[in-house]
Amino acid sequence: MYTEIEQQSLDIDWFFTGNNEIAFVASAGGKLPETIAELGEKNGILSSYFRNLPEISDVIINPELKIILPDVNETYLSDFINMAKKGIYAFDKTVLNNFLDSNYHLVASPKNPLKLKDLSPDVIEVILKAQFNNELKDMKQINVFKFNE
Protein backbone atom coordinates (compact mmCIF):
# COMPACT_ATOMS: atom_id res chain seq x y z
CA MET A 1 0.00 0.00 0.00
CA TYR A 2 1.20 3.52 -0.79
CA THR A 3 1.13 5.75 2.26
CA GLU A 4 -0.09 9.32 1.97
CA ILE A 5 3.49 10.55 2.44
CA GLU A 6 4.69 8.34 -0.45
CA GLN A 7 1.85 9.63 -2.60
CA GLN A 8 2.79 13.25 -1.85
CA SER A 9 6.51 12.80 -2.40
CA LEU A 10 6.69 10.41 -5.39
CA ASP A 11 5.72 10.59 -9.04
CA ILE A 12 3.94 7.23 -9.16
CA ASP A 13 3.06 5.62 -12.49
CA TRP A 14 -0.33 3.95 -12.33
CA PHE A 15 -2.69 2.35 -14.80
CA PHE A 16 -6.39 1.84 -15.37
CA THR A 17 -8.75 0.46 -17.98
CA GLY A 18 -11.55 2.14 -19.85
CA ASN A 19 -13.78 -0.09 -21.95
CA ASN A 20 -11.04 -2.61 -22.76
CA GLU A 21 -8.27 -0.09 -23.39
CA ILE A 22 -5.38 0.90 -21.11
CA ALA A 23 -4.35 4.26 -19.65
CA PHE A 24 -1.18 5.40 -17.90
CA VAL A 25 -1.13 8.22 -15.36
CA ALA A 26 1.85 10.05 -13.86
CA SER A 27 0.74 11.08 -10.36
CA ALA A 28 3.21 13.96 -9.93
CA GLY A 29 2.76 13.79 -6.17
CA GLY A 30 -1.03 13.74 -6.32
CA LYS A 31 -3.42 11.71 -4.19
CA LEU A 32 -4.02 8.30 -5.74
CA PRO A 33 -7.42 6.65 -6.08
CA GLU A 34 -7.91 4.28 -3.13
CA THR A 35 -7.83 1.22 -5.39
CA ILE A 36 -4.40 2.24 -6.72
CA ALA A 37 -3.00 3.16 -3.30
CA GLU A 38 -4.00 -0.29 -2.03
CA LEU A 39 -2.12 -2.05 -4.86
CA GLY A 40 1.30 -0.99 -3.56
CA GLU A 41 3.92 -3.37 -4.99
CA LYS A 42 1.46 -4.87 -7.47
CA ASN A 43 1.32 -1.45 -9.13
CA GLY A 44 5.08 -1.74 -9.70
CA ILE A 45 4.46 -5.01 -11.53
CA LEU A 46 2.11 -3.18 -13.90
CA SER A 47 4.62 -0.42 -14.50
CA SER A 48 7.39 -2.88 -15.29
CA TYR A 49 5.12 -4.93 -17.56
CA PHE A 50 3.89 -1.97 -19.62
CA ARG A 51 7.28 -0.29 -19.88
CA ASN A 52 8.71 -3.49 -21.37
CA LEU A 53 6.06 -3.90 -24.07
CA PRO A 54 7.06 -3.35 -27.71
CA GLU A 55 5.98 -0.26 -29.60
CA ILE A 56 2.82 -0.94 -31.62
CA SER A 57 1.35 2.45 -32.45
CA ASP A 58 1.84 5.90 -33.85
CA VAL A 59 1.04 8.71 -31.42
CA ILE A 60 -1.32 11.68 -31.32
CA ILE A 61 -0.29 14.56 -29.04
CA ASN A 62 -3.29 16.23 -27.40
CA PRO A 63 -3.92 19.31 -29.60
CA GLU A 64 -5.03 21.25 -26.48
CA LEU A 65 -1.78 20.55 -24.62
CA LYS A 66 -0.19 23.92 -25.50
CA ILE A 67 -3.16 25.63 -23.84
CA ILE A 68 -2.80 23.53 -20.67
CA LEU A 69 1.02 23.72 -20.61
CA PRO A 70 2.34 26.60 -22.73
CA ASP A 71 5.98 25.63 -22.09
CA VAL A 72 5.66 21.96 -23.11
CA ASN A 73 8.86 20.54 -24.62
CA GLU A 74 10.32 17.28 -25.94
CA THR A 75 11.81 16.33 -22.58
CA TYR A 76 8.40 16.58 -20.91
CA LEU A 77 6.69 14.66 -23.72
CA SER A 78 9.16 11.76 -24.01
CA ASP A 79 7.74 9.41 -21.34
CA PHE A 80 4.15 10.04 -22.39
CA ILE A 81 5.00 9.44 -26.05
CA ASN A 82 6.84 6.26 -25.08
CA MET A 83 3.73 4.91 -23.34
CA ALA A 84 1.43 5.94 -26.21
CA LYS A 85 3.70 4.09 -28.67
CA LYS A 86 2.94 0.96 -26.63
CA GLY A 87 -0.78 1.54 -27.28
CA ILE A 88 -1.53 3.19 -23.93
CA TYR A 89 -3.32 6.51 -23.36
CA ALA A 90 -1.05 8.81 -21.31
CA PHE A 91 -2.25 11.35 -18.72
CA ASP A 92 -0.44 13.80 -16.43
CA LYS A 93 -1.44 15.83 -13.38
CA THR A 94 -2.71 19.24 -14.40
CA VAL A 95 -2.03 21.26 -11.22
CA LEU A 96 1.32 20.40 -9.67
CA ASN A 97 2.17 20.86 -6.00
CA ASN A 98 -1.44 20.41 -4.91
CA PHE A 99 -1.83 16.97 -3.40
CA LEU A 100 -5.62 17.08 -3.27
CA ASP A 101 -6.20 18.40 -6.78
CA SER A 102 -7.56 15.39 -8.66
CA ASN A 103 -7.49 16.61 -12.26
CA TYR A 104 -5.34 15.08 -14.95
CA HIS A 105 -5.11 15.86 -18.66
CA LEU A 106 -4.41 13.73 -21.72
CA VAL A 107 -0.89 14.21 -23.04
CA ALA A 108 -0.68 11.58 -25.78
CA SER A 109 -2.89 8.87 -27.20
CA PRO A 110 -2.17 5.88 -29.43
CA LYS A 111 -3.59 5.58 -32.94
CA ASN A 112 -3.69 1.81 -32.35
CA PRO A 113 -4.70 1.21 -28.70
CA LEU A 114 -3.58 -1.84 -26.75
CA LYS A 115 -6.57 -3.97 -25.72
CA LEU A 116 -7.21 -5.64 -22.39
CA LYS A 117 -7.45 -9.04 -24.12
CA ASP A 118 -3.83 -8.64 -25.29
CA LEU A 119 -2.48 -8.61 -21.72
CA SER A 120 -1.29 -11.55 -19.67
CA PRO A 121 -3.93 -12.95 -17.25
CA ASP A 122 -1.99 -11.89 -14.13
CA VAL A 123 -1.77 -8.30 -15.40
CA ILE A 124 -5.47 -8.28 -16.29
CA GLU A 125 -6.31 -9.39 -12.75
CA VAL A 126 -4.41 -6.44 -11.25
CA ILE A 127 -5.42 -3.73 -13.73
CA LEU A 128 -9.11 -4.58 -13.42
CA LYS A 129 -8.97 -3.16 -9.89
CA ALA A 130 -8.97 0.31 -11.48
CA GLN A 131 -11.67 0.74 -14.09
CA PHE A 132 -13.26 3.81 -15.60
CA ASN A 133 -16.50 3.25 -17.49
CA ASN A 134 -15.72 5.66 -20.32
CA GLU A 135 -14.17 5.31 -23.75
CA LEU A 136 -10.56 6.42 -23.39
CA LYS A 137 -10.51 7.77 -26.93
CA ASP A 138 -13.08 10.38 -25.87
CA MET A 139 -11.33 11.45 -22.66
CA LYS A 140 -9.23 14.62 -22.69
CA GLN A 141 -9.18 14.86 -18.89
CA ILE A 142 -9.97 12.74 -15.86
CA ASN A 143 -10.82 13.35 -12.24
CA VAL A 144 -9.23 10.56 -10.22
CA PHE A 145 -11.72 10.88 -7.36
CA LYS A 146 -14.31 9.38 -9.73
CA PHE A 147 -12.54 6.05 -9.30
CA ASN A 148 -13.75 5.90 -5.72
CA GLU A 149 -17.42 6.55 -6.43
Side-chain angles (χ1 to χ4, degrees):
M1 173 159 198
Y2 291 110
T3 66
E4 204 163 278
I5 299 226
E6 288 172 319
Q7 292 176 50
Q8 288 177 12
S9 59
L10 299 173
D11 187 8
I12 298 168
D13 295 346
W14 58 276
F15 301 85
F16 69 92
T17 65
N19 287 348
N20 295 315
E21 295 175 337
I22 316 300
F24 154 79
V25 182
S27 75
K31 184 166 179 58
L32 299 173
E34 288 176 30
T35 54
I36 302 301
E38 290 170 1
L39 284 176
E41 287 184 26
K42 287 185 181 178
N43 185 60
I45 293 167
L46 291 179
S47 185
S48 182
Y49 177 85
F50 289 119
R51 288 193 176 281
N52 287 303
L53 288 177
E55 294 179 359
I56 62 166
S57 180
D58 288 329
V59 174
I60 301 166
I61 302 297
N62 180 354
E64 298 168 14
L65 193 57
K66 283 279 189 187
I67 296 166
I68 300 165
L69 298 170
D71 296 329
V72 70
N73 60 43
E74 293 298 319
T75 303
Y76 168 81
L77 289 173
S78 65
D79 198 36
F80 300 101
I81 289 172
N82 182 44
M83 295 307 278
K85 284 181 176 179
K86 295 169 188 292
I88 301 168
Y89 292 82
F91 292 85
D92 193 20
K93 188 163 174 44
T94 303
V95 179
L96 301 177
N97 301 319
N98 184 341
F99 177 65
L100 294 177
D101 184 86
S102 60
N103 296 301
Y104 290 74
H105 59 272
L106 178 70
V107 175
S109 57
K111 287 186 178 180
N112 179 32
L114 181 67
K115 301 293 184 187
L116 201 56
K117 67 177 179 50
D118 298 326
L119 307 178
S120 69
D122 56 325
V123 169
I124 292 171
E125 180 182 335
V126 175
I127 200 167
L128 284 177
K129 296 184 186 311
Q131 295 184 56
F132 219 86
N133 293 323
N134 293 15
E135 293 280 337
L136 290 176
K137 66 182 171 97
D138 299 329
M139 296 175 69
K140 296 287 188 219
Q141 58 188 358
I142 56 172
N143 181 325
V144 297
F145 290 149
K146 301 225 181 233
F147 282 91
N148 298 329
E149 291 182 342

